Amino acid sequence: MTRRTEWPGSADETQSAAGDAETRSGRRGRRGREDSGGPSSSRAESGPPRTPEEQARAICLRLLTGSPRTRKQLGDALRQRGIPEEAAEEVLSRFEDVGLIDDAAFADAWVESRHHGRGLARRALARELRTKGVDSALIDVAVGRLDSEQEESTARELVDRKLRTTRGLDREKRLRRLAGMLARKGYPEGLALRVVKQALEEEGEDPELLDQHGLLDM
């Protein structure tokens, strides 16, 4: 894959977009306080958040500044901290409106990062995104950007890096160890066997003897 996807919700973008949201949502309240002679600064500046919505905004901003999150992850965090569901949904929807929560962008960036960084295959990537609450349709689109050719190329790179550490083992152990490594990263059994056998053949292993071994009991 040649396209580079930025993680959604970087620290600067988070603070900027959040500031816009705060400005819009708090303008009316601040105007009322100014008209009545009250302080013009926001509650967040003068003290800890007091309303559930203010608490939810503060929690979400803190989490998003640390790393990108899905809507479900943020919703779970708010629920664990006792934020009422109505207040949580209002804040989460507002954050989606200003682009601070973007599950589609999160899924795209996750696939690119975890495939190139950890060598994970589409099956493993989809499983990880499901645990983070990304919608199945968004997952399909994100992992669909990783085609079979790229997946096989990455599998071969993984085997090439691991091949040296298996030298000295017998043929069957090498086959199982290398194929097992690919299986744990989500590569289908057929692809794993094919890539490993090709690598071992290039090292001089007999193709007929390799064909006698499978992936049972990995």
Side-chain angles (χ1 to χ4, degrees), residues 13 118 208:
E13 292 170 340
R118 297 289 302 277
E208 293 185 3

Side-chain angles (χ1 to χ4, degrees), residues 182-204:
L182 292 180
R184 289 189 294 275
K185 290 181 179 291
Y187 290 90
E189 180 177 315
L191 172 61
L193 261 180
R194 182 173 69 255
V195 169
V196 172
K197 286 179 177 179
Q198 288 173 351
L200 293 177
E201 285 175 20
E202 291 173 6
E203 279 206 340

Side-chain angles (χ1 to χ4, degrees), residues 41-91:
S41 61
S42 67
R43 288 179 180 176
E45 294 171 343
S46 61
R50 290 178 241 177
T51 70
E53 290 79 10
E54 288 173 332
Q55 293 177 43
R57 285 196 294 273
I59 292 168
C60 288
L61 286 173
R62 184 169 62 251
L63 292 174
L64 287 169
T65 300
S67 64
R69 309 289 174 120
T70 65
R71 176 167 179 143
K72 181 181 184 302
Q73 287 177 306
L74 292 172
D76 289 345
L78 295 179
R79 186 164 48 254
Q80 290 169 4
R81 289 162 174 78
I83 301 298
E85 183 176 353
E86 183 176 349
E89 286 300 310
E90 178 183 341
V91 170

Side-chain angles (χ1 to χ4, degrees), residues 1 5 7 105-129 131-132 142-143 146 150-151 154-155 157-158 161 184-187:
M1 291 168 51
T5 304
W7 280 104
F106 179 96
D108 286 345
W110 186 267
V111 167
E112 183 169 348
S113 174
R114 297 285 284 177
H115 178 72
H116 291 292
R118 297 289 302 277
L120 299 186
R122 287 174 290 188
R123 184 167 58 186
L125 293 166
R127 183 169 59 246
E128 288 186 340
L129 288 171
T131 66
K132 297 182 180 299
V143 299
L146 182 62
Q150 176 63 56
E151 194 172 53
T154 301
E157 291 174 5
L158 291 169
R161 290 202 297 265
R184 289 189 294 275
K185 290 181 179 291
Y187 290 90

